[in-house]
Amino acid sequence: MNTRRSLRILATTLGAAGLLISGCTSGSSTSASSSESSASPAPAVPAGLKPYYAQQLKWRDCGVEGFQCTTMEAPLDYGKPDNGDIKLAVSRKKATGPGKRIGSLLVNPGGPGGSAIEYLQSYAAVGYPAQVRARYDMVAIDPRGVARSAPVVCLTGPQMDTYTQVDQTPDDSGEVTGLGDAYKKFASGCEERSGEILPHVSTVETARDMDMLRALLGDEKLHYVGASYGTFLGATYAGLFPARVGRLVLDGAMDPSLDAVELNRDQTAGFETAFQAFAADCVKKADCPLGTTSTADAATRLKRLFADLDARPIATGDSRRLTESLGTTGVIAAMYDESAWPQLREALAGAQKGDGSGLLALSDSYYERRPNGTYANLMFANAAVNCLDQPPAFADAEAVTRAVPGFEKASPVFGKAFAWAALNCAAWPVPPTGTPHRIEAKGAAPIVVVGTTRDPATPYKWAQSLADQLSSGILLTYQGDGHTAYGRGSDCIDTAINTYLLEGTPPAEGKKCS
C-alpha cells in the first residue's frame, strides 16, 4: 500500500481483526475438534504427509539484498493429501550474529490477508531489534491464498473501485439491495477466479503449513511473532501442536471464543475508543477540524461530514469522488496508529473545504490500492479466510437491521457502517469449516499475549481472554493507543519481549507498560 510506511505498516496490516469496512471481519475460529491435541508426545507426522515433511527447500536469491526465497509444497486439502498440491512462498534473512543462533523466528503481520513476506522484507528483518535479528533467522511464509502463495483474486481494479464506493449505511430498501448485490458480486467473483482454493484457506490449514515449514527449517520448536490476526494463527498452531511451541508472542490478540457478531460489535467499540482518544487530542488544538470544545462535539461534526458525503460526494483530484464509504474508511485507517492523527486532521480539514484527496489517500492505503488502479489481494484473502473460519455474522439484511441499534450503542460514529459491513459472508459460496471455541493448548511452553488498552482493532479484553484461555498464557499490557505494541516506542514492552525471545524468560504475569 502506498502510504503504509507512514502508518507503521498500517499497524501491522490493518489489524488483524480489522478489515471491517468493505465487509471484512476479523479472522475467527476453527473447529474445536481440530484445535486441541495432547502436548506430549508431539504428534507423529501422518503417513500421507511424510513426503511433504521430507521435501528439500531450494533457496535462491530474492532480488532483495540479504534475503533468500524458496517455494514449499503443501497439500491443497489436508484431508486428502493425494488430491494435489499448493505452492507456498517463503523468504528468510539469516541470523547476522554475533551470538549463538537460536533458530528461526517466523513472523506474521495479520489481516488475514497481509503478506508476511512483504512485512519481513520491509520491516521485521530490518526493523526488529538488532539483537533479535542477530540470533534468529528471520522467516516468513505468505499464507495460502495470500500475495505470493496462490493468491485469491475476486475483482478487477475498476470493479474494486466500484465496490469500495458502495453505500454501507443504507437509508432505504434500494440501498440495502445495492449493498447486498455488491457482496454477492464480490463473492461470485472470488468463486469464478479462485474457486479451487477457496475451500482451503482456513487458519487451521495455514497453521499446519507453518508446522511443515518449521520441520523443513530444522527447528524442533516453532518460534513466532504474530500480530493482530497473526495472534489467532499462532494460537491455532499452539492448539494443534502444543508440544512444538517454542517462544510465541501474540501481539494485539484476538479472542477465538467469540462468534462473528460479538467480534464485530467488540471491534466497533474498539474503534469508538480509538476515535475518542483521537478526538480528545484533536480538540486541544486550535486548528482541530472537529471543533475545540469537546469530544462529543467532535463526534457530532464527524457524523455531519459523513452525512454530507453521503448526500454529495466531493472531488479528490482523481476520477473517483470521495463518498461516505471511502471517507469512513479513511478515518478508520488512521485509527490504527496515533502517528497518523496529524495526517487525519489535515485530511478532515481538506474534506470540509471540498477536497477529498487526503481521506481518499488514507482509504487507498487501507485497501492496498496501487497508483495504477490495481489492488493487492489483501481484501480478497481477508474475506476468503474469515468467511471460511466461522459462520457469517448475519444471514440477511433483516438480521442486520435488528442488530444496528446494538452496534450504534457500541459506536455512535461507526456503528451502522460496521453492522452492515458484517453482512458480507452471507453470500459466500463456500460453507464455513470453523466455529467459535476456546484454545487452551495444554502443555505448551509459556506464550506471551500482548494487549493494548486502547487498541481499536483488537480490543484489550480480547487479549485478557486469550491469555486466560491458554494454559500457559501470560498477559503483557501496554497502556496506550494504537494497534499492537511491540516495536511501537515502548522500551518497557520491547525489553520484555526481547528478553523472552532471546533468553526464553517471559515477563511477570500482569506486567503493565506505558
Side-chain angles (χ1 to χ4, degrees):
M1 65 177 64
N2 307 325
T3 62
R4 188 193 306 190
R5 300 304 177 268
S6 66
L7 298 183
R8 253 294 273 117
I9 312 190
L10 205 51
T12 53
T13 309
L14 298 177
L19 301 173
L20 281 174
I21 299 302
S22 167
C24 298
T25 64
S26 61
S28 184
S29 35
T30 60
S31 64
S33 62
S34 65
S35 69
E36 302 294 342
S37 59
S38 60
S40 181
V45 176
L49 299 182
K50 286 183 178 180
Y52 293 100
Y53 274 79
Q55 66 187 290
Q56 298 294 314
L57 297 180
K58 298 179 181 179
W59 295 98
R60 63 187 185 279
D61 181 77
C62 287
V64 180
E65 185 177 356
F67 290 89
Q68 296 176 308
C69 290
T70 191
T71 301
M72 182 183 90
E73 290 189 350
L76 177 65
D77 183 348
Y78 273 93
K80 300 175 181 178
D82 294 331
N83 283 10
D85 303 330
I86 184 171
K87 296 184 183 297
L88 306 174
V90 180
S91 182
R92 75 177 178 187
K93 187 175 186 181
K94 301 192 77 171
T96 60
K100 183 179 179 182
R101 178 183 174 276
I102 295 171
S104 304
L105 182 65
L106 267 68
V107 296
N108 183 281
S115 170
I117 290 178
E118 181 184 354
Y119 177 71
L120 176 81
Q121 295 180 353
S122 64
Y123 176 68
V126 294
Y128 271 30
Q131 62 268 40
V132 173
R133 293 182 282 118
R135 299 187 60 197
Y136 283 100
D137 292 347
M138 301 293 295
V139 180
I141 177 172
D142 274 351
R144 49 178 60 210
V146 174
R148 299 166 177 83
S149 295
V152 172
V153 178
C154 300
L155 301 178
T156 65
Q159 288 174 330
M160 191 65 180
D161 279 347
T162 299
Y163 178 73
T164 62
Q165 296 176 69
V166 172
D167 192 338
Q168 291 194 325
T169 57
D171 301 312
D172 54 43
S173 59
E175 290 184 348
V176 169
T177 298
L179 181 58
D181 288 345
Y183 289 147
K184 291 175 183 176
K185 185 174 182 178
F186 184 97
S188 64
C190 298
E191 184 177 31
E192 177 183 347
R193 295 174 174 88
S194 303
E196 182 180 9
I197 193 176
L198 286 189
H200 304 294
V201 293
S202 71
T203 298
V204 160
E205 289 162 306
T206 295
R208 292 176 187 264
D209 296 337
M210 285 182 10
D211 189 62
M212 187 183 301
L213 178 58
R214 170 204 59 77
L216 297 179
L217 293 170
D219 292 329
E220 182 181 352
K221 306 278 187 178
L222 179 78
H223 306 306
Y224 174 83
V225 176
S228 207
Y229 160 81
T231 68
F232 176 60
L233 178 57
T236 298
Y237 180 90
L240 286 166
F241 308 106
R244 296 175 185 161
V245 167
R247 300 170 190 179
L248 262 62
V249 177
L250 308 180
D251 184 12
M254 293 185 58
D255 182 353
S257 70
L258 300 179
D259 66 28
V261 174
E262 294 171 309
L263 283 167
N264 280 275
R265 194 167 50 226
D266 280 357
Q267 195 174 62
T268 302
F271 277 98
E272 179 67 21
T273 298
F275 172 73
Q276 289 296 320
F278 163 75
D281 177 74
C282 186
V283 298
K284 297 175 184 176
K285 304 179 187 307
D287 63 345
C288 177
L290 299 179
T292 58
T293 56
S294 67
T295 57
D297 184 44
T300 298
R301 293 190 183 208
L302 182 59
K303 290 175 68 177
R304 186 183 306 149
L305 174 62
F306 288 161
D308 289 344
L309 292 174
D310 190 25
R312 293 175 298 279
I314 61 176
T316 63
D318 186 275
S319 60
R320 296 166 295 156
R321 298 180 72 81
L322 186 74
T323 61
E324 179 191 17
S325 57
L326 289 172
T328 302
T329 304
V331 174
I332 289 299
M335 293 296 100
Y336 283 89
D337 193 330
E338 65 271 26
S339 69
W341 291 357
Q343 184 180 353
L344 177 58
R345 289 197 302 271
E346 183 178 350
L348 289 171
Q352 290 173 339
K353 297 174 184 177
D355 177 7
S357 60
L359 284 177
L360 182 65
L362 284 166
S363 177
D364 283 351
S365 74
Y366 186 97
Y367 285 121
E368 291 201 344
R369 185 185 191 271
R370 305 182 183 100
N372 65 1
T374 63
Y375 289 75
N377 95 308
L378 172 62
M379 287 293 171
F380 308 144
N382 182 272
V385 175
N386 286 331
C387 294
L388 194 60
D389 270 354
Q390 81 167 205
F394 302 115
D396 50 41
E398 289 73 19
V400 180
T401 300
R402 292 192 297 270
V404 164
F407 277 70
E408 290 185 319
K409 183 178 179 181
S411 174
V413 176
F414 306 116
K416 185 177 181 180
F418 277 33
W420 283 101
L423 181 61
N424 70 314
C425 288
W428 203 247
V430 180
T433 58
T435 57
H437 66 284
R438 291 173 59 85
I439 296 179
E440 298 180 3
K442 293 180 179 178
I447 299 172
V448 175
V449 179
V450 188
T452 297
T453 54
R454 293 186 294 277
D455 190 318
T458 52
Y460 178 61
K461 68 178 183 178
W462 289 0
Q464 292 174 302
S465 179
L466 181 59
D468 181 65
Q469 291 174 45
L470 292 167
S471 62
S472 59
I474 296 172
L475 180 64
L476 174 62
T477 298
Y478 174 57
Q479 297 173 311
D481 297 294
H483 182 45
T484 72
Y486 185 43
R488 286 174 40 84
S490 169
D491 289 340
C492 175
I493 289 289
D494 291 353
T495 298
I497 293 176
N498 293 341
T499 299
Y500 171 64
L501 290 175
L502 295 170
E503 301 175 12
T505 304
E509 178 62 53
K511 183 177 178 64
K512 296 182 179 180
C513 299
S514 58

